Amino acid sequence: MSREIMQRNIDRAQQEIDNKKEIVKAGRMRQHYHFMAQTGWLNDPNGLIYYKGRYHFFYQYNPYYGFWDYMHWGHAVSEDMLHWEYLPIALAPSEIYDDHMRGGCFSGSAIEHDGKLFLMFTGTTNDGKGFEQTQCIAYSEDGIHFEKYEGNPVLTPPEGVPTHQFRDPKVWKHEDTYYMVCGASRENKAQALLYRSEDMIHWTFFNVLAESRGEWGYMWECPDFFPMGDKYVLMFSPMGAGERTVVYMVGDFDYGTGKFTYHINGEIDWGFDYYAPQSFLAPDGRRLIAAWANCWDWMPFWKDWGPTYKEGWCGSYNIVREVRMTEEGTLAFVPIKELESLRIDAQRQERLVLVSEDKEIKAGDGVSFELKFKIALEETDADRLVLFLRCGGKKKTACVFDFKNAQIYIDRNESDGWSKGISKSDLCLLGKKELDVHIFSDQSSIELFSDNYRNNHSNNIFAGDEQNGITIRACGGKVTVTGIETYGLKECNR
Ligand code: FRU
């Protein structure tokens, strides 16, 4: 019976997608090469996995309209993480444990077990005790059609963890055992809880993997835990940690005690629109992450989710990044090499010396492009370098490299008449001869990578096609820029 209810809810949602997808496709603000859903609202990446020769991306999904609401798991597959084929919705709310009208099937992860594709997700419901969250299982023989386990839920919140703060299971396998980390809160402090299982069905609590003493907020959403060399990395999206919304920690993990001791922490992205990254392995061993390019209403800088709901959709993923460890043990987040296959119209200029006048840069059509350069710091004495992107009329987005105050900031107060705010990060210049900059622009977003991909900003802007100018300016002295490369980027997912 419950199988039929899920199928009915999936069919109803598919019908809605079919009715609207062509209209939504024509939306002016649709991204050209970032991953999006066909219609409606998308948030967190879920169940990212390379399975039977293709990348599977599942996603938090409300197919009906461009706002968060009754969450399904959307599903798409790709060979290169650029060109996508949409598959039927994988999970729809259907059971007493996952049918909260403002909730449904929340985030989780995927793993291969017993020849099947297993999903572990958070069911949300309200049977009189408030917003209740539990961990649940679904599986599939063909990787397309899923069945929920009849013994769900497989885990309920432990003593001391409020029922509404227990979610987002991320599963992995080590030797013959399955492990799972999930987000929780205890006495108003965030925790990552570690569980283990022999069969993906019976789970026992192992230890508190890591926790906040207050400095890292009251709840960790979408925790993820994975090895990098002989170290382990914990990533999470903290609630209540100010502007820090995507934190990583590097440290040592002991499978004997289930305890993680971190000695390095950093921010994956300082922009306004980068949240809930999830990691997965490529067949060649690369550790990749994808994230949701937007933010929540509880964040200090939130304005709203943007104007795209008028076009019947909202949300895309940031470009997929490869996680690499640097010599000093911090992490770098490098755009995947697959993106190079989209490059067209390559241009190169070896050297540009900026003194007082603005210089124009041409990169593709000025909307969908890639721009790379280095700032030669030894031949630079200016206070700032300002790069104006998506300029047109009086509108523009300013990317500022402030050498005097050692900061990078991206100002979107004049971007489009809608966006607001300045994202900021500290810029480490000590001992550096040059500073590398790498930018990806798409219809509704700008992603800036700098300092060997360790200092990154992802911001959405909703600029029209007529905003396609790029200018660069030195303020208060001279800036020398070298190795300028620009590319247009082919459309692959509209
Ligand atoms: C993070 C999150 C998760 C939750 C999901 C709901 O963005 O709030 O904690 O599972 O989104 O859509």
Side-chain angles (χ1 to χ4, degrees), residues 281-339:
L281 276 178
D284 59 8
R286 286 175 296 165
R287 174 65 62 172
L288 307 180
I289 56 171
W292 171 44
N294 218 313
C295 58
W296 285 119
D297 44 0
W298 49 262
M299 293 182 188
F301 45 76
W302 184 76
K303 185 185 172 208
D304 63 44
W305 286 286
T308 64
Y309 72 91
K310 294 181 206 153
E311 298 179 358
W313 67 284
C314 184
S316 60
Y317 283 1
N318 307 84
I319 51 180
V320 179
R321 305 177 182 184
E322 180 185 343
V323 185
R324 289 193 199 152
M325 185 163 292
T326 66
E327 271 167 19
E328 66 266 36
T330 57
L331 299 184
F333 303 94
V334 186
I336 48 167
K337 58 177 191 274
E338 284 81 347
L339 283 157

Side-chain angles (χ1 to χ4, degrees), residues 43-44 60 68 71 106-107 167-168 221-222 275-276 296:
N43 60 289
D44 311 353
Q60 282 289 280
W68 183 87
M71 300 316 288
F106 270 19
S107 287
R167 60 181 173 274
D168 309 338
E221 297 195 304
C222 300
Y275 196 67
W296 285 119

Side-chain angles (χ1 to χ4, degrees), residues 32-270:
H32 295 194
Y33 59 90
H34 284 77
F35 178 72
M36 295 169 290
Q38 288 168 291
T39 64
W41 165 278
L42 153 152
N43 60 289
D44 311 353
N46 292 162
L48 309 183
I49 189 169
Y50 186 81
Y51 178 70
K52 294 194 175 151
R54 295 191 293 187
Y55 293 97
H56 289 246
F57 276 18
F58 299 87
Y59 42 97
Q60 282 289 280
Y61 189 32
N62 171 23
Y64 294 96
Y65 44 86
F67 288 102
W68 183 87
D69 201 343
Y70 190 47
M71 300 316 288
H72 299 56
W73 275 39
H75 188 189
V77 287
S78 172
E79 280 171 20
D80 60 2
M81 294 172 279
L82 299 169
H83 299 85
W84 293 94
E85 179 193 336
Y86 293 97
L87 295 179
I89 285 175
L91 298 177
S94 60
E95 311 301 317
I96 190 101
Y97 56 80
D98 71 4
D99 69 351
H100 197 292
M101 291 306 285
R102 298 268 299 155
C105 302
F106 270 19
S107 287
S109 52
I111 198 162
E112 193 171 345
H113 166 62
D114 213 9
K116 298 189 191 76
L117 186 58
F118 269 64
L119 305 180
M120 192 166 193
F121 66 100
T122 300
T124 64
T125 192
N126 183 353
D127 69 2
K129 293 190 246 79
F131 196 62
E132 291 160 56
Q133 303 179 344
T134 55
Q135 312 320 329
C136 305
I137 294 286
Y139 32 73
S140 167
E141 299 270 352
D142 62 3
I144 299 176
H145 303 94
F146 289 85
E147 187 184 329
K148 290 175 188 163
Y149 169 56
E150 59 184 21
N152 277 340
V154 294
L155 266 179
T156 54
E159 188 78 34
V161 170
T163 59
H164 67 284
Q165 301 286 33
F166 180 59
R167 60 181 173 274
D168 309 338
K170 175 74 200 287
V171 188
W172 74 99
K173 192 175 185 184
H174 177 75
E175 293 171 353
D176 286 334
T177 306
Y178 292 98
Y179 292 83
M180 184 274 280
V181 58
C182 90
S185 182
R186 203 186 294 261
E187 289 166 3
N188 220 25
K189 301 205 176 60
Q191 292 189 322
L193 301 181
L194 182 62
Y195 290 81
R196 54 186 169 181
S197 168
E198 299 307 317
D199 59 4
M200 281 297 297
I201 298 289
H202 301 91
W203 292 88
T204 48
F205 176 69
F206 187 9
N207 209 343
V208 176
L209 183 70
E211 63 192 323
S212 161
R213 295 187 185 90
E215 80 283 37
W216 295 113
Y218 62 84
M219 172 70 193
W220 290 345
E221 297 195 304
C222 300
D224 197 331
F225 194 62
F226 54 86
M228 273 258 121
D230 59 354
K231 297 286 170 193
Y232 264 81
V233 174
L234 176 66
M235 305 192 297
F236 53 84
S237 296
M239 302 177 84
E243 294 207 355
R244 303 196 66 173
T245 53
V246 267
V247 171
Y248 75 80
M249 290 171 169
V250 181
D252 296 302
F253 178 60
D254 182 348
Y255 275 103
T257 60
K259 206 74 198 168
F260 171 65
T261 38
Y262 67 91
H263 41 80
I264 281 178
N265 72 71
E267 192 76 7
I268 302 172
D269 196 294
W270 292 100

Side-chain angles (χ1 to χ4, degrees), residues 428-447:
C428 175
L429 293 168
L430 189 69
K432 286 201 174 71
K433 290 196 167 69
E434 52 185 27
L435 180 72
D436 51 287
V437 178
H438 193 172
I439 290 168
F440 285 82
S441 168
D442 200 344
Q443 184 69 52
S444 302
S445 63
I446 291 174
E447 284 156 278

